[in-house]
Amino acid sequence: MANTQTALKEAMTSIEGALGVALVDYSSGMALGTLGGGKELDLTVAAAGNTDVVRAKVRTMEQLGLKDSIEDILITLGSQYHLIRLLKGRDSQGLFLYLALDKNRANLAMARHQLRKIEGDLEV
């Protein structure tokens, strides 16, 4: 089992094209841990903003009466992928991993696979 910082380091080192990663509590919008990012990618701002995305999608699913769960949400930009993976473990309810990728260097399928593996190893 990996703690938050170990999981974030694994994401940055094992996922090709990773620009930044955060573990976020979507009930508060606060980042519980971040790694990477920089001047052009403020992970604290991204955590808060993507919390709104997650809340909107959860609310929409409830309104539609969908009895399913969100695995991940993908936002495709001109030069980046932004991947939001909702955590499923009993101790991780209300949390998501946020990963920003360089679109030219990343393999999206492999990034999703690796993020799922990191989620499985994460102990919050």
Side-chain angles (χ1 to χ4, degrees), residues 1 7 9 16 31 33 59-60 76-77 83 87 92 98-99 110 116 118 124:
M1 290 296 187
K9 284 179 190 170
E16 184 70 28
R59 189 171 46 253
T60 301
T76 304
L77 304 177
L83 189 58
L87 304 187
S92 56
Y98 165 74
L99 176 66
M110 288 304 296
R116 186 173 30 251
I118 291 167
V124 183

Side-chain angles (χ1 to χ4, degrees), residues 95-120:
L95 301 178
F96 66 86
L97 284 166
Y98 165 74
L99 176 66
L101 298 161
D102 179 325
K103 196 173 179 181
N104 292 322
R105 295 185 2 222
N107 177 323
L108 186 55
M110 288 304 296
R112 290 183 68 219
H113 173 74
Q114 192 64 24
L115 205 55
R116 186 173 30 251
K117 180 182 174 298
I118 291 167
E119 173 196 3

Side-chain angles (χ1 to χ4, degrees), residues 8 14 17 27 33 37 41 47 49 68-69 81 103 123:
L8 297 178
S14 69
S27 60
L41 180 62
D68 209 343
S69 60
Y81 293 123
K103 196 173 179 181
E123 186 175 292

Side-chain angles (χ1 to χ4, degrees), residues 3 28 35 43-45 50 67 99 123:
N3 67 22
S28 68
L35 193 60
L43 291 170
T44 304
V45 172
N50 284 300
K67 305 294 184 212
L99 176 66
E123 186 175 292

